[in-house]
């Protein structure tokens, strides 16, 4: 089966610029997650979607980050404007139903460098 | 809220030696526990998980982890490592709740020396 697809693989921008990441989850997976992984740290959940509704966005910096999952399939995460501290790997994951005992399937991530 | 601590950021071992990667969690309620692995240039993938029942769980590539409720630990072990086990390993925890999210530790980088 096809895995979770993410693009781009790498992105370099200057601070105050905007950037967008795209994710296509595994077909049929209702739940989609965006994680931020800063160097030396574990993945931190930014936002969780169940179909096209938001389940948890408590750690999303809403003044600069936004995400959408139109039609409950693929998703876009945007940062505007970017700050130096946003440099990280942005991981997309999906799971079948969002149950807390389910396996997460991760994409390869987008490595963002903000200069 | 739950949390997870991985005490070792890096663990170097020789090939064919045993290894233990430590993970401790905190939670006031029952939890599910996971180990995810990230091989170089790949995404994270599930290695093994504890949901309920037998406290010893095993992966297909020789790793095992034991849930110890009294010590709130879920350490990952392998009796003999191979070069191909070189990766970063993340311990994760979630609660028995539909509102819970999965919390990841900071990771342990396992490097294997020939």
């Amino acid at each position: 089966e096809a895995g979770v697809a993410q693009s781009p693989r790498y992105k370099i921008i200057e601070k105050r610029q905007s950037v967008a990441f795209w994710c296509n989850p595994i077909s049929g997976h209702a739940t989609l997650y965006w994680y931020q992984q800063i160097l030396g740290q574990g993945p931190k959940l930014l936002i969780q979607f169940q179909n096209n509704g938001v389940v948890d966005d408590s750690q999303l910096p809403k003044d600069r980050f936004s995400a959408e999952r139109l039609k409950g399939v693929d998703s876009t995460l945007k940062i505007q404007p970017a700050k130096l501290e946003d440099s990280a790997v942005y991981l997309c994951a999906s799971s079948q139903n969002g149950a807390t005992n389910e396996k997460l399937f991760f994409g390869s991530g987008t490595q963002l460098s903000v200069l | 809220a739950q949390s997870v601590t991985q005490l070792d950021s890096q663990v170097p071992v020789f090939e064919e030696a045993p290894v233990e990667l430590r993970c401790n969690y905190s939670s006031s309620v029952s939890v599910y526990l996971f180990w995810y692995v990230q091989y170089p240039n790949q995404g994270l993938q599930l290695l093994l998980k504890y949901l309920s029942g037998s406290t010893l769980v095993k992966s297909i590539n020789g790793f095992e982890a034991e849930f110890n409720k009294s010590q709130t630990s879920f350490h990952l072990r392998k009796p003999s490592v191979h070069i191909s086990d070189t990766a970063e390993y993340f311990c994760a925890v979630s609660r028995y709740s539909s509102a819970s999210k999965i919390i990841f530790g900071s990771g342990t980088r396992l490097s294997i020396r020939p």
Side-chain angles (χ1 to χ4, degrees), chain B residues 49-110:
Chain B
K49 63 181 178 181
Y50 169 77
L51 303 182
S52 65
S54 173
T55 57
L56 183 66
V57 290
K58 300 183 179 184
S59 73
I60 59 173
N61 60 349
F63 282 94
E64 62 181 34
E66 186 157 22
F67 169 56
N68 188 319
K69 189 174 182 178
S70 63
Q71 296 187 7
T72 60
S73 68
F74 191 55
H75 301 331
L76 182 69
R77 302 183 180 96
K78 189 170 185 180
S80 176
V81 296
H82 301 284
I83 291 287
S84 58
D85 295 323
T86 298
E88 187 147 23
Y89 293 79
F90 293 91
C91 184
V93 62
S94 66
R95 293 181 297 172
Y96 282 19
S97 165
S98 60
S100 174
K101 56 190 174 190
I102 298 173
I103 304 295
F104 286 85
S106 55
T108 298
R109 187 171 297 279
L110 177 63

Side-chain angles (χ1 to χ4, degrees), chain A residues 37 42 59 100-101 104 106-107, chain B residues 36 90 94-95 97 100-101 105:
Chain A
Q37 186 178 12
Q59 297 194 91
T100 56
N101 61 356
L104 299 186
F106 284 86
Chain B
Y36 280 81
F90 293 91
S94 66
R95 293 181 297 172
S97 165
S100 174
K101 56 190 174 190

Side-chain angles (χ1 to χ4, degrees), chain A residues 39-109:
Chain A
L39 189 64
Q41 299 181 21
K44 182 184 85 171
L45 181 67
L46 292 176
I47 189 167
Q48 177 181 342
F49 291 95
Q50 185 74 11
N51 297 309
N52 59 354
V54 175
V55 173
D56 185 341
D57 63 357
S58 58
Q59 297 194 91
L60 187 74
K62 299 180 186 62
D63 58 333
R64 298 183 301 105
F65 285 64
S66 64
E68 59 183 12
R69 190 184 183 197
L70 300 175
K71 301 180 182 178
V73 182
D74 55 351
S75 175
T76 303
L77 176 70
K78 296 179 181 177
I79 308 175
Q80 183 179 13
K83 292 186 175 181
L84 297 176
E85 59 260 37
D86 298 332
S87 293
V89 177
Y90 290 85
L91 301 169
C92 180
S94 69
S95 68
Q96 198 145 15
N97 296 308
T100 56
N101 61 356
E102 274 187 340
K103 174 181 176 180
L104 299 186
F105 293 81
F106 284 86
S108 297

